[in-house]
Every structure is written in C-alpha cells, then in structure tokens.
Amino acid sequence: MTGRIEDISVARTKDDRTRLPGFEDAVVGPTGRAKQDFAEPAKLKSHGPARIISLCNQKGGVGKTTTTINLGAALAGYGRRVLAVDFDPQGALSAGLGVPTHDVTTIYDLLLSRSKDPLEAIQHTGVEGLDVIPANIDLSAAEVHLVNEVAREQILAGVLRKVSSEYDVILIDCQPSLGILTVNALTASHGVLIPLECEFFALRGVALLIETIEKVKDRLNPAIELDGILATMYDSRTLHSREVLERVVDAFDERVLETVITRTVKFPDASVAGVPITEFAPEHQAAKAYKALARELIVRGAVA
Ligand code: ADP
Ligand code: MG
C-alpha cells in the first residue's frame, strides 16, 4: 500500500504539479493538477463479485455518509449494482436513503447471528441498482458483544462474502471511530476511501487513521489498498479552503482524488428529503461532482 506516512516527503511541490509536461497550458483544477474529464464508463457485460470499499475517517461530519449515498447513486446510474452498508449506529445512511431501520433485519442482527441470511436484510432504495443494509442504535452494542467472539475482526467480511456475487461494489459507511466495527469494515474491504474536510484541523488524525489501516494490512487483510483521499466541503472562494487543499495535496500527492466536493446547502436539503443529490437536484454541480467521482474511481480501477 502506498499510504505510508514516510512517503509524504516525496510529494511534489505545487510548482511541479502545475507544470506537468504537456499540460503547461491546461486548465488547473482545485488540486493544482491539470483538470481531467473522466470518460463515460462502458456498460458492464456481467455483474459481481463486488469490490468492497470502506468510507472511513474517525472524525465525524466530514462527508462519509453523504459520499456513500451519492457515490452509490452515481455508480448505480452508470449501471453498477451497488450495496451500501450502514455501519454507524446513528443510521444516517439508512435515513438518507429513506429506508426503515426498525422492525427490519439490520447489520447488527447479521453480525450477531451467523444463521441469519444477509439477503433478508437487504432493502431496495428509490434509486434503481442501489440497495442498502440498514443500521440503527442497536449497533452501538456490537462492540461489547464482539469482544469475546472468535475472529471478531472478520465477522463483517463473513457476512458480506455471502452477498458479494450479487453486486459490483459494496460501500461501507463507517462510524466516526477506529474501534472494532471500523476494524471489521477494513478487514472486509479491498479498498478505503478517506473523505477529508477542507478545514484547518483536517490533517490531524489522518496519520492515526493511516496507521490503523497499516495495522489491518499487516495483521488481518494484506490486500487492502488506499483507493484515495477525497477532499470535501471545499469552498473555492475562501483562501483558507484553498490553502488546506494545497497542504493535503502536498502531503498525499496523487492519492488525493482529482474530484473535489464543494460545500453546498444542497446536501443537507437532500438528506432531509431522504434521496441522493443525484435525484434531488441532478443538474446541480454537487450532483455532477459525485458523478465525476464515480467516473474517476472507475478510471482508476477502484470500481469495475
Ligand atoms: P459523516 O458521515 O462523515 O459524519 P456526513 O456525510 O453525515 O458526515 O455530513 C455531515 C453533515 O454535513 C450533514 O448534515 C451533511 O448533509 C453535510 N454535508 C455533507 N457534505 C456536504 C457538503 N459538501 N457541503 C455542505 N454540507 C455537507
Ligand atoms: Mg456518517
């Protein structure tokens, strides 16, 4: 994996980035690199098995849930079969996709009982091709219950293995902590996507997160990759936002995705409506940004 902290020093300077050979006159995007248009993805001829991606950052309010919902909807729009897994007891993903979380089978039930069929927990959303396994506050008890389990870090992996053939991509919306649930998510995943808010303290904590990913890679899941760092809540009008993004790119270089998510009130509005922004306001630049993110991840090979 390329996410090691030691690699940070090799990041190129901004001057190098804006003068990439052949791109001298190109329009420069917010990351300081030449702006790219990611090609429309080809239709898939067959589906599955899924590549599993965790959306992970132990800081709350950075856009994990918003990204899971809207990236999921955008990928479904490109014909990918997507399963979103709510792995946060707050249940914000389930609410944001408008599915019930009570008197239904949740991810908690699947973690606790091996005999439960995960297909029973899957709910369709209003978006064709986007399904969800919901969560509710019960999940907060999982940490305690799992402590004495055999191979407690691998339980989610076992659950998702049973449904993987039905999907092209599974997105896990992690809770804001680095506890046993998040370790389960990382152990089950092929890749990690780190949403990072363009705020002054954003970089604090990322070292710890990458250290956790490294530990999971060493001990539990040697194949895990850092699929990218996604800058969120970006406001191009403020020098502050631009400076933070510049620092993030200096630190993580090409691991920072080209697509940047701008701060806009459309997101809270769409959450209240219980639909992805790609449905709520399809022509809004925020919807277009998530479609661009979907195309970028397909071009990068993180999604089929
Ligand atoms: P997390 O899952 O990391 O805690 P959320 O995705 O729930 O973060 O986002 C936190 C809050 O910020 C939510 O109210 C959401 O609607 C809002 N939000 C998310 N992304 C944006 C954005 N790009 N611009 C403005 N508000 C956003
Ligand atoms: Mg969340």
Side-chain angles (χ1 to χ4, degrees), residues 57 59-70 88 92 173-176 195 231-234 261-272 286 290:
N57 189 329
K59 193 167 182 291
V62 299
K64 292 181 287 296
T65 301
T66 303
T67 299
T68 308
I69 292 172
N70 296 294
D88 183 343
D173 182 24
C174 291
Q175 66 175 158
T232 62
M233 319 265 184
Y234 178 71
I261 308 298
T262 302
R263 187 182 287 279
T264 156
V265 292
K266 279 282 181 235
F267 286 108
D269 291 351
S271 316
V272 171
Y290 273 107

PDB file of all heavy atoms in Angstrom, residues 57 59-70 88 92 173-176 195 231-234 261-272 286 290, ligand 1:
ATOM      1  N   ASN A  57     -13.174   7.626   8.249  1.00  0.00           N
ATOM      2  CA  ASN A  57     -12.464   8.731   8.881  1.00  0.00           C
ATOM      3  C   ASN A  57     -13.043   8.821  10.283  1.00  0.00           C
ATOM      4  O   ASN A  57     -14.267   8.893  10.427  1.00  0.00           O
ATOM      5  CB  ASN A  57     -12.680  10.053   8.122  1.00  0.00           C
ATOM      6  CG  ASN A  57     -11.780  11.169   8.636  1.00  0.00           C
ATOM      7  OD1 ASN A  57     -11.436  11.205   9.820  1.00  0.00           O
ATOM      8  ND2 ASN A  57     -11.404  12.084   7.761  1.00  0.00           N
ATOM      9  N   LYS A  59     -13.075  11.098  12.255  1.00  0.00           N
ATOM     10  CA  LYS A  59     -13.682  12.394  12.539  1.00  0.00           C
ATOM     11  C   LYS A  59     -15.120  12.364  12.000  1.00  0.00           C
ATOM     12  O   LYS A  59     -15.357  11.846  10.901  1.00  0.00           O
ATOM     13  CB  LYS A  59     -12.877  13.491  11.846  1.00  0.00           C
ATOM     14  CG  LYS A  59     -13.202  14.889  12.308  1.00  0.00           C
ATOM     15  CD  LYS A  59     -12.141  15.864  11.800  1.00  0.00           C
ATOM     16  CE  LYS A  59     -12.415  17.276  12.287  1.00  0.00           C
ATOM     17  NZ  LYS A  59     -13.606  17.891  11.690  1.00  0.00           N
ATOM     18  N   GLY A  60     -16.065  12.906  12.762  1.00  0.00           N
ATOM     19  CA  GLY A  60     -17.448  12.972  12.307  1.00  0.00           C
ATOM     20  C   GLY A  60     -17.677  14.210  11.439  1.00  0.00           C
ATOM     21  O   GLY A  60     -16.897  15.165  11.494  1.00  0.00           O
ATOM     22  N   GLY A  61     -18.710  14.178  10.636  1.00  0.00           N
ATOM     23  CA  GLY A  61     -19.103  15.353   9.873  1.00  0.00           C
ATOM     24  C   GLY A  61     -18.184  15.717   8.720  1.00  0.00           C
ATOM     25  O   GLY A  61     -18.126  16.865   8.301  1.00  0.00           O
ATOM     26  N   VAL A  62     -17.453  14.733   8.186  1.00  0.00           N
ATOM     27  CA  VAL A  62     -16.523  15.029   7.080  1.00  0.00           C
ATOM     28  C   VAL A  62     -17.090  14.621   5.716  1.00  0.00           C
ATOM     29  O   VAL A  62     -16.468  14.874   4.684  1.00  0.00           O
ATOM     30  CB  VAL A  62     -15.152  14.340   7.290  1.00  0.00           C
ATOM     31  CG1 VAL A  62     -14.497  14.836   8.570  1.00  0.00           C
ATOM     32  CG2 VAL A  62     -15.278  12.820   7.303  1.00  0.00           C
ATOM     33  N   GLY A  63     -18.258  13.977   5.722  1.00  0.00           N
ATOM     34  CA  GLY A  63     -18.871  13.610   4.439  1.00  0.00           C
ATOM     35  C   GLY A  63     -18.823  12.124   4.108  1.00  0.00           C
ATOM     36  O   GLY A  63     -19.031  11.746   2.954  1.00  0.00           O
ATOM     37  N   LYS A  64     -18.591  11.268   5.101  1.00  0.00           N
ATOM     38  CA  LYS A  64     -18.580   9.817   4.829  1.00  0.00           C
ATOM     39  C   LYS A  64     -19.950   9.352   4.327  1.00  0.00           C
ATOM     40  O   LYS A  64     -20.058   8.696   3.299  1.00  0.00           O
ATOM     41  CB  LYS A  64     -18.262   9.019   6.110  1.00  0.00           C
ATOM     42  CG  LYS A  64     -16.854   9.198   6.626  1.00  0.00           C
ATOM     43  CD  LYS A  64     -16.615   8.371   7.878  1.00  0.00           C
ATOM     44  CE  LYS A  64     -17.300   8.912   9.121  1.00  0.00           C
ATOM     45  NZ  LYS A  64     -16.845  10.230   9.565  1.00  0.00           N
ATOM     46  N   THR A  65     -20.987   9.698   5.101  1.00  0.00           N
ATOM     47  CA  THR A  65     -22.329   9.220   4.770  1.00  0.00           C
ATOM     48  C   THR A  65     -22.819   9.857   3.471  1.00  0.00           C
ATOM     49  O   THR A  65     -23.373   9.177   2.599  1.00  0.00           O
ATOM     50  CB  THR A  65     -23.288   9.527   5.944  1.00  0.00           C
ATOM     51  OG1 THR A  65     -22.774   8.883   7.103  1.00  0.00           O
ATOM     52  CG2 THR A  65     -24.685   9.044   5.660  1.00  0.00           C
ATOM     53  N   THR A  66     -22.608  11.161   3.346  1.00  0.00           N
ATOM     54  CA  THR A  66     -23.011  11.870   2.130  1.00  0.00           C
ATOM     55  C   THR A  66     -22.328  11.265   0.901  1.00  0.00           C
ATOM     56  O   THR A  66     -22.951  11.085  -0.148  1.00  0.00           O
ATOM     57  CB  THR A  66     -22.639  13.362   2.273  1.00  0.00           C
ATOM     58  OG1 THR A  66     -23.286  13.867   3.450  1.00  0.00           O
ATOM     59  CG2 THR A  66     -23.069  14.165   1.069  1.00  0.00           C
ATOM     60  N   THR A  67     -21.055  10.912   1.054  1.00  0.00           N
ATOM     61  CA  THR A  67     -20.323  10.328  -0.070  1.00  0.00           C
ATOM     62  C   THR A  67     -20.820   8.918  -0.368  1.00  0.00           C
ATOM     63  O   THR A  67     -20.974   8.542  -1.536  1.00  0.00           O
ATOM     64  CB  THR A  67     -18.808  10.334   0.222  1.00  0.00           C
ATOM     65  OG1 THR A  67     -18.398  11.690   0.405  1.00  0.00           O
ATOM     66  CG2 THR A  67     -18.013   9.720  -0.924  1.00  0.00           C
ATOM     67  N   THR A  68     -21.109   8.135   0.668  1.00  0.00           N
ATOM     68  CA  THR A  68     -21.623   6.779   0.438  1.00  0.00           C
ATOM     69  C   THR A  68     -22.932   6.842  -0.350  1.00  0.00           C
ATOM     70  O   THR A  68     -23.109   6.126  -1.343  1.00  0.00           O
ATOM     71  CB  THR A  68     -21.862   6.054   1.782  1.00  0.00           C
ATOM     72  OG1 THR A  68     -20.672   6.138   2.567  1.00  0.00           O
ATOM     73  CG2 THR A  68     -22.216   4.599   1.563  1.00  0.00           C
ATOM     74  N   ILE A  69     -23.828   7.727   0.068  1.00  0.00           N
ATOM     75  CA  ILE A  69     -25.132   7.850  -0.594  1.00  0.00           C
ATOM     76  C   ILE A  69     -24.972   8.294  -2.051  1.00  0.00           C
ATOM     77  O   ILE A  69     -25.511   7.675  -2.972  1.00  0.00           O
ATOM     78  CB  ILE A  69     -26.026   8.872   0.149  1.00  0.00           C
ATOM     79  CG1 ILE A  69     -26.426   8.331   1.520  1.00  0.00           C
ATOM     80  CG2 ILE A  69     -27.265   9.244  -0.678  1.00  0.00           C
ATOM     81  CD1 ILE A  69     -27.154   9.340   2.413  1.00  0.00           C
ATOM     82  N   ASN A  70     -24.216   9.357  -2.246  1.00  0.00           N
ATOM     83  CA  ASN A  70     -24.193   9.978  -3.575  1.00  0.00           C
ATOM     84  C   ASN A  70     -23.252   9.283  -4.547  1.00  0.00           C
ATOM     85  O   ASN A  70     -23.545   9.195  -5.738  1.00  0.00           O
ATOM     86  CB  ASN A  70     -23.884  11.464  -3.441  1.00  0.00           C
ATOM     87  CG  ASN A  70     -24.997  12.163  -2.686  1.00  0.00           C
ATOM     88  OD1 ASN A  70     -26.121  12.244  -3.168  1.00  0.00           O
ATOM     89  ND2 ASN A  70     -24.706  12.611  -1.477  1.00  0.00           N
ATOM     90  N   ASP A  88     -22.919   2.515  10.970  1.00  0.00           N
ATOM     91  CA  ASP A  88     -22.874   3.530  12.020  1.00  0.00           C
ATOM     92  C   ASP A  88     -24.195   3.464  12.786  1.00  0.00           C
ATOM     93  O   ASP A  88     -25.271   3.534  12.175  1.00  0.00           O
ATOM     94  CB  ASP A  88     -22.705   4.914  11.355  1.00  0.00           C
ATOM     95  CG  ASP A  88     -22.573   6.038  12.378  1.00  0.00           C
ATOM     96  OD1 ASP A  88     -22.916   5.835  13.566  1.00  0.00           O
ATOM     97  OD2 ASP A  88     -22.141   7.134  11.970  1.00  0.00           O
ATOM     98  N   ALA A  92     -27.573   7.197   9.833  1.00  0.00           N
ATOM     99  CA  ALA A  92     -27.771   8.330   8.918  1.00  0.00           C
ATOM    100  C   ALA A  92     -27.825   7.889   7.446  1.00  0.00           C
ATOM    101  O   ALA A  92     -28.555   8.468   6.645  1.00  0.00           O
ATOM    102  CB  ALA A  92     -26.656   9.363   9.105  1.00  0.00           C
ATOM    103  N   ASP A 173     -20.314   2.447   5.025  1.00  0.00           N
ATOM    104  CA  ASP A 173     -20.305   3.770   5.666  1.00  0.00           C
ATOM    105  C   ASP A 173     -19.920   3.587   7.131  1.00  0.00           C
ATOM    106  O   ASP A 173     -20.741   3.187   7.951  1.00  0.00           O
ATOM    107  CB  ASP A 173     -21.705   4.391   5.541  1.00  0.00           C
ATOM    108  CG  ASP A 173     -21.776   5.780   6.143  1.00  0.00           C
ATOM    109  OD1 ASP A 173     -20.724   6.447   6.235  1.00  0.00           O
ATOM    110  OD2 ASP A 173     -22.890   6.201   6.520  1.00  0.00           O
ATOM    111  N   CYS A 174     -18.646   3.873   7.456  1.00  0.00           N
ATOM    112  CA  CYS A 174     -18.136   3.604   8.805  1.00  0.00           C
ATOM    113  C   CYS A 174     -18.591   4.664   9.802  1.00  0.00           C
ATOM    114  O   CYS A 174     -18.904   5.793   9.440  1.00  0.00           O
ATOM    115  CB  CYS A 174     -16.615   3.559   8.791  1.00  0.00           C
ATOM    116  SG  CYS A 174     -15.961   2.137   7.909  1.00  0.00           S
ATOM    117  N   GLN A 175     -18.559   4.280  11.068  1.00  0.00           N
ATOM    118  CA  GLN A 175     -18.874   5.233  12.128  1.00  0.00           C
ATOM    119  C   GLN A 175     -17.606   6.046  12.434  1.00  0.00           C
ATOM    120  O   GLN A 175     -16.496   5.618  12.102  1.00  0.00           O
ATOM    121  CB  GLN A 175     -19.374   4.511  13.377  1.00  0.00           C
ATOM    122  CG  GLN A 175     -18.325   3.651  14.046  1.00  0.00           C
ATOM    123  CD  GLN A 175     -18.825   3.042  15.352  1.00  0.00           C
ATOM    124  OE1 GLN A 175     -18.314   2.045  15.805  1.00  0.00           O
ATOM    125  NE2 GLN A 175     -19.824   3.655  15.950  1.00  0.00           N
ATOM    126  N   PRO A 176     -17.751   7.201  13.065  1.00  0.00           N
ATOM    127  CA  PRO A 176     -16.565   8.018  13.358  1.00  0.00           C
ATOM    128  C   PRO A 176     -15.789   7.506  14.567  1.00  0.00           C
ATOM    129  O   PRO A 176     -15.795   8.137  15.616  1.00  0.00           O
ATOM    130  CB  PRO A 176     -17.143   9.415  13.589  1.00  0.00           C
ATOM    131  CG  PRO A 176     -18.566   9.201  13.967  1.00  0.00           C
ATOM    132  CD  PRO A 176     -19.006   7.904  13.373  1.00  0.00           C
ATOM    133  N   PRO A 195     -12.731  10.412   3.125  1.00  0.00           N
ATOM    134  CA  PRO A 195     -13.227  11.773   2.913  1.00  0.00           C
ATOM    135  C   PRO A 195     -12.529  12.704   3.912  1.00  0.00           C
ATOM    136  O   PRO A 195     -12.418  12.383   5.088  1.00  0.00           O
ATOM    137  CB  PRO A 195     -14.727  11.683   3.215  1.00  0.00           C
ATOM    138  CG  PRO A 195     -15.048  10.224   3.279  1.00  0.00           C
ATOM    139  CD  PRO A 195     -13.777   9.552   3.710  1.00  0.00           C
ATOM    140  N   ALA A 231     -11.275  15.189  -1.037  1.00  0.00           N
ATOM    141  CA  ALA A 231     -11.453  16.479  -0.373  1.00  0.00           C
ATOM    142  C   ALA A 231     -12.933  16.860  -0.432  1.00  0.00           C
ATOM    143  O   ALA A 231     -13.552  16.847  -1.493  1.00  0.00           O
ATOM    144  CB  ALA A 231     -10.594  17.533  -1.058  1.00  0.00           C
ATOM    145  N   THR A 232     -13.503  17.170   0.745  1.00  0.00           N
ATOM    146  CA  THR A 232     -14.924  17.531   0.820  1.00  0.00           C
ATOM    147  C   THR A 232     -15.078  18.928   1.437  1.00  0.00           C
ATOM    148  O   THR A 232     -14.122  19.468   1.993  1.00  0.00           O
ATOM    149  CB  THR A 232     -15.703  16.530   1.701  1.00  0.00           C
ATOM    150  OG1 THR A 232     -15.176  16.584   3.021  1.00  0.00           O
ATOM    151  CG2 THR A 232     -15.607  15.115   1.174  1.00  0.00           C
ATOM    152  N   MET A 233     -16.276  19.453   1.369  1.00  0.00           N
ATOM    153  CA  MET A 233     -16.616  20.756   1.978  1.00  0.00           C
ATOM    154  C   MET A 233     -15.668  21.851   1.487  1.00  0.00           C
ATOM    155  O   MET A 233     -15.311  22.758   2.242  1.00  0.00           O
ATOM    156  CB  MET A 233     -16.548  20.703   3.514  1.00  0.00           C
ATOM    157  CG  MET A 233     -17.116  19.450   4.109  1.00  0.00           C
ATOM    158  SD  MET A 233     -18.808  19.692   4.576  1.00  0.00           S
ATOM    159  CE  MET A 233     -19.150  18.104   5.339  1.00  0.00           C
ATOM    160  N   TYR A 234     -15.270  21.768   0.233  1.00  0.00           N
ATOM    161  CA  TYR A 234     -14.326  22.731  -0.327  1.00  0.00           C
ATOM    162  C   TYR A 234     -15.072  24.006  -0.724  1.00  0.00           C
ATOM    163  O   TYR A 234     -16.152  23.942  -1.302  1.00  0.00           O
ATOM    164  CB  TYR A 234     -13.647  22.111  -1.554  1.00  0.00           C
ATOM    165  CG  TYR A 234     -12.678  23.021  -2.253  1.00  0.00           C
ATOM    166  CD1 TYR A 234     -11.460  23.342  -1.655  1.00  0.00           C
ATOM    167  CD2 TYR A 234     -12.972  23.556  -3.506  1.00  0.00           C
ATOM    168  CE1 TYR A 234     -10.552  24.174  -2.297  1.00  0.00           C
ATOM    169  CE2 TYR A 234     -12.065  24.382  -4.149  1.00  0.00           C
ATOM    170  CZ  TYR A 234     -10.862  24.692  -3.547  1.00  0.00           C
ATOM    171  OH  TYR A 234      -9.973  25.513  -4.178  1.00  0.00           O
ATOM    172  N   ILE A 261     -15.205  17.801  -3.682  1.00  0.00           N
ATOM    173  CA  ILE A 261     -16.620  18.067  -3.388  1.00  0.00           C
ATOM    174  C   ILE A 261     -16.749  19.430  -2.708  1.00  0.00           C
ATOM    175  O   ILE A 261     -16.187  19.667  -1.646  1.00  0.00           O
ATOM    176  CB  ILE A 261     -17.223  16.965  -2.490  1.00  0.00           C
ATOM    177  CG1 ILE A 261     -16.961  15.558  -3.078  1.00  0.00           C
ATOM    178  CG2 ILE A 261     -18.716  17.217  -2.258  1.00  0.00           C
ATOM    179  CD1 ILE A 261     -17.569  15.295  -4.442  1.00  0.00           C
ATOM    180  N   THR A 262     -17.493  20.297  -3.327  1.00  0.00           N
ATOM    181  CA  THR A 262     -17.674  21.669  -2.849  1.00  0.00           C
ATOM    182  C   THR A 262     -18.709  21.715  -1.718  1.00  0.00           C
ATOM    183  O   THR A 262     -19.606  20.884  -1.664  1.00  0.00           O
ATOM    184  CB  THR A 262     -18.146  22.526  -4.047  1.00  0.00           C
ATOM    185  OG1 THR A 262     -17.153  22.409  -5.064  1.00  0.00           O
ATOM    186  CG2 THR A 262     -18.326  23.969  -3.684  1.00  0.00           C
ATOM    187  N   ARG A 263     -18.548  22.697  -0.848  1.00  0.00           N
ATOM    188  CA  ARG A 263     -19.540  22.888   0.223  1.00  0.00           C
ATOM    189  C   ARG A 263     -20.807  23.518  -0.356  1.00  0.00           C
ATOM    190  O   ARG A 263     -20.755  24.522  -1.040  1.00  0.00           O
ATOM    191  CB  ARG A 263     -18.953  23.805   1.298  1.00  0.00           C
ATOM    192  CG  ARG A 263     -19.821  23.936   2.522  1.00  0.00           C
ATOM    193  CD  ARG A 263     -19.203  24.899   3.519  1.00  0.00           C
ATOM    194  NE  ARG A 263     -18.039  24.346   4.197  1.00  0.00           N
ATOM    195  CZ  ARG A 263     -18.093  23.524   5.234  1.00  0.00           C
ATOM    196  NH1 ARG A 263     -19.266  23.145   5.720  1.00  0.00           N
ATOM    197  NH2 ARG A 263     -16.997  23.082   5.796  1.00  0.00           N
ATOM    198  N   THR A 264     -21.942  22.903  -0.121  1.00  0.00           N
ATOM    199  CA  THR A 264     -23.217  23.464  -0.578  1.00  0.00           C
ATOM    200  C   THR A 264     -24.381  22.993   0.304  1.00  0.00           C
ATOM    201  O   THR A 264     -24.372  21.854   0.779  1.00  0.00           O
ATOM    202  CB  THR A 264     -23.533  23.102  -2.050  1.00  0.00           C
ATOM    203  OG1 THR A 264     -24.940  23.179  -2.251  1.00  0.00           O
ATOM    204  CG2 THR A 264     -23.108  21.698  -2.400  1.00  0.00           C
ATOM    205  N   VAL A 265     -25.354  23.874   0.502  1.00  0.00           N
ATOM    206  CA  VAL A 265     -26.512  23.523   1.338  1.00  0.00           C
ATOM    207  C   VAL A 265     -27.413  22.488   0.681  1.00  0.00           C
ATOM    208  O   VAL A 265     -28.325  21.965   1.321  1.00  0.00           O
ATOM    209  CB  VAL A 265     -27.384  24.747   1.706  1.00  0.00           C
ATOM    210  CG1 VAL A 265     -26.632  25.660   2.639  1.00  0.00           C
ATOM    211  CG2 VAL A 265     -27.870  25.473   0.463  1.00  0.00           C
ATOM    212  N   LYS A 266     -27.172  22.196  -0.592  1.00  0.00           N
ATOM    213  CA  LYS A 266     -27.989  21.185  -1.265  1.00  0.00           C
ATOM    214  C   LYS A 266     -27.892  19.830  -0.570  1.00  0.00           C
ATOM    215  O   LYS A 266     -28.832  19.045  -0.587  1.00  0.00           O
ATOM    216  CB  LYS A 266     -27.548  21.014  -2.729  1.00  0.00           C
ATOM    217  CG  LYS A 266     -28.110  22.059  -3.672  1.00  0.00           C
ATOM    218  CD  LYS A 266     -29.559  21.761  -4.046  1.00  0.00           C
ATOM    219  CE  LYS A 266     -30.080  22.804  -5.009  1.00  0.00           C
ATOM    220  NZ  LYS A 266     -31.269  23.469  -4.606  1.00  0.00           N
ATOM    221  N   PHE A 267     -26.747  19.546   0.067  1.00  0.00           N
ATOM    222  CA  PHE A 267     -26.578  18.234   0.704  1.00  0.00           C
ATOM    223  C   PHE A 267     -27.502  18.064   1.898  1.00  0.00           C
ATOM    224  O   PHE A 267     -28.235  17.075   1.959  1.00  0.00           O
ATOM    225  CB  PHE A 267     -25.118  17.984   1.084  1.00  0.00           C
ATOM    226  CG  PHE A 267     -24.260  17.688  -0.108  1.00  0.00           C
ATOM    227  CD1 PHE A 267     -23.349  18.600  -0.577  1.00  0.00           C
ATOM    228  CD2 PHE A 267     -24.394  16.480  -0.765  1.00  0.00           C
ATOM    229  CE1 PHE A 267     -22.570  18.320  -1.695  1.00  0.00           C
ATOM    230  CE2 PHE A 267     -23.616  16.189  -1.884  1.00  0.00           C
ATOM    231  CZ  PHE A 267     -22.708  17.119  -2.338  1.00  0.00           C
ATOM    232  N   PRO A 268     -27.472  18.993   2.868  1.00  0.00           N
ATOM    233  CA  PRO A 268     -28.438  18.860   3.974  1.00  0.00           C
ATOM    234  C   PRO A 268     -29.880  18.809   3.458  1.00  0.00           C
ATOM    235  O   PRO A 268     -30.686  18.022   3.965  1.00  0.00           O
ATOM    236  CB  PRO A 268     -28.186  20.124   4.807  1.00  0.00           C
ATOM    237  CG  PRO A 268     -26.793  20.536   4.487  1.00  0.00           C
ATOM    238  CD  PRO A 268     -26.504  20.066   3.098  1.00  0.00           C
ATOM    239  N   ASP A 269     -30.199  19.590   2.444  1.00  0.00           N
ATOM    240  CA  ASP A 269     -31.565  19.578   1.896  1.00  0.00           C
ATOM    241  C   ASP A 269     -31.930  18.201   1.361  1.00  0.00           C
ATOM    242  O   ASP A 269     -33.031  17.695   1.613  1.00  0.00           O
ATOM    243  CB  ASP A 269     -31.698  20.601   0.751  1.00  0.00           C
ATOM    244  CG  ASP A 269     -31.619  22.031   1.257  1.00  0.00           C
ATOM    245  OD1 ASP A 269     -31.631  22.217   2.496  1.00  0.00           O
ATOM    246  OD2 ASP A 269     -31.527  22.946   0.417  1.00  0.00           O
ATOM    247  N   ALA A 270     -30.998  17.592   0.634  1.00  0.00           N
ATOM    248  CA  ALA A 270     -31.262  16.272   0.045  1.00  0.00           C
ATOM    249  C   ALA A 270     -31.398  15.222   1.145  1.00  0.00           C
ATOM    250  O   ALA A 270     -32.241  14.326   1.057  1.00  0.00           O
ATOM    251  CB  ALA A 270     -30.151  15.880  -0.927  1.00  0.00           C
ATOM    252  N   SER A 271     -30.584  15.342   2.231  1.00  0.00           N
ATOM    253  CA  SER A 271     -30.672  14.367   3.336  1.00  0.00           C
ATOM    254  C   SER A 271     -32.048  14.402   3.954  1.00  0.00           C
ATOM    255  O   SER A 271     -32.628  13.363   4.262  1.00  0.00           O
ATOM    256  CB  SER A 271     -29.659  14.664   4.449  1.00  0.00           C
ATOM    257  OG  SER A 271     -28.422  14.978   3.928  1.00  0.00           O
ATOM    258  N   VAL A 272     -32.570  15.610   4.149  1.00  0.00           N
ATOM    259  CA  VAL A 272     -33.896  15.751   4.750  1.00  0.00           C
ATOM    260  C   VAL A 272     -34.946  15.078   3.863  1.00  0.00           C
ATOM    261  O   VAL A 272     -35.856  14.409   4.339  1.00  0.00           O
ATOM    262  CB  VAL A 272     -34.237  17.246   4.973  1.00  0.00           C
ATOM    263  CG1 VAL A 272     -35.693  17.406   5.386  1.00  0.00           C
ATOM    264  CG2 VAL A 272     -33.315  17.836   6.033  1.00  0.00           C
ATOM    265  N   ALA A 286     -23.076  19.843  -7.462  1.00  0.00           N
ATOM    266  CA  ALA A 286     -22.734  18.833  -6.460  1.00  0.00           C
ATOM    267  C   ALA A 286     -23.091  17.428  -6.958  1.00  0.00           C
ATOM    268  O   ALA A 286     -22.364  16.467  -6.709  1.00  0.00           O
ATOM    269  CB  ALA A 286     -23.462  19.127  -5.155  1.00  0.00           C
ATOM    270  N   TYR A 290     -20.337  14.265  -7.813  1.00  0.00           N
ATOM    271  CA  TYR A 290     -20.364  12.859  -7.410  1.00  0.00           C
ATOM    272  C   TYR A 290     -20.373  11.919  -8.613  1.00  0.00           C
ATOM    273  O   TYR A 290     -19.821  10.815  -8.557  1.00  0.00           O
ATOM    274  CB  TYR A 290     -21.509  12.578  -6.432  1.00  0.00           C
ATOM    275  CG  TYR A 290     -21.063  12.855  -5.012  1.00  0.00           C
ATOM    276  CD1 TYR A 290     -21.507  13.974  -4.318  1.00  0.00           C
ATOM    277  CD2 TYR A 290     -20.145  12.012  -4.375  1.00  0.00           C
ATOM    278  CE1 TYR A 290     -21.059  14.244  -3.016  1.00  0.00           C
ATOM    279  CE2 TYR A 290     -19.698  12.274  -3.084  1.00  0.00           C
ATOM    280  CZ  TYR A 290     -20.154  13.385  -2.413  1.00  0.00           C
ATOM    281  OH  TYR A 290     -19.697  13.644  -1.142  1.00  0.00           O
TER     282      TYR A 290
HETATM  283  P1  ADP B   1     -20.049  11.955   8.301  1.00  0.00           P
HETATM  284  O1  ADP B   1     -20.791  10.760   7.786  1.00  0.00           O
HETATM  285  O2  ADP B   1     -18.579  11.914   7.977  1.00  0.00           O
HETATM  286  O3  ADP B   1     -20.293  12.205   9.761  1.00  0.00           O
HETATM  287  P2  ADP B   1     -21.978  13.482   6.767  1.00  0.00           P
HETATM  288  O4  ADP B   1     -21.902  12.970   5.379  1.00  0.00           O
HETATM  289  O5  ADP B   1     -23.106  12.986   7.611  1.00  0.00           O
HETATM  290  O6  ADP B   1     -20.592  13.242   7.520  1.00  0.00           O
HETATM  291  O7  ADP B   1     -22.016  15.066   6.697  1.00  0.00           O
HETATM  292  C1  ADP B   1     -22.173  15.858   7.879  1.00  0.00           C
HETATM  293  C2  ADP B   1     -23.159  16.981   7.599  1.00  0.00           C
HETATM  294  O8  ADP B   1     -22.631  17.831   6.597  1.00  0.00           O
HETATM  295  C3  ADP B   1     -24.511  16.515   7.085  1.00  0.00           C
HETATM  296  O9  ADP B   1     -25.502  17.346   7.594  1.00  0.00           O
HETATM  297  C4  ADP B   1     -24.412  16.685   5.572  1.00  0.00           C
HETATM  298  O10 ADP B   1     -25.667  16.934   4.985  1.00  0.00           O
HETATM  299  C5  ADP B   1     -23.491  17.882   5.469  1.00  0.00           C
HETATM  300  N1  ADP B   1     -22.650  17.824   4.266  1.00  0.00           N
HETATM  301  C6  ADP B   1     -22.002  16.760   3.748  1.00  0.00           C
HETATM  302  N2  ADP B   1     -21.304  17.101   2.653  1.00  0.00           N
HETATM  303  C7  ADP B   1     -21.504  18.430   2.471  1.00  0.00           C
HETATM  304  C8  ADP B   1     -21.041  19.399   1.512  1.00  0.00           C
HETATM  305  N3  ADP B   1     -20.229  19.069   0.519  1.00  0.00           N
HETATM  306  N4  ADP B   1     -21.470  20.676   1.662  1.00  0.00           N
HETATM  307  C9  ADP B   1     -22.286  21.032   2.681  1.00  0.00           C
HETATM  308  N5  ADP B   1     -22.743  20.190   3.598  1.00  0.00           N
HETATM  309  C10 ADP B   1     -22.364  18.893   3.514  1.00  0.00           C
END
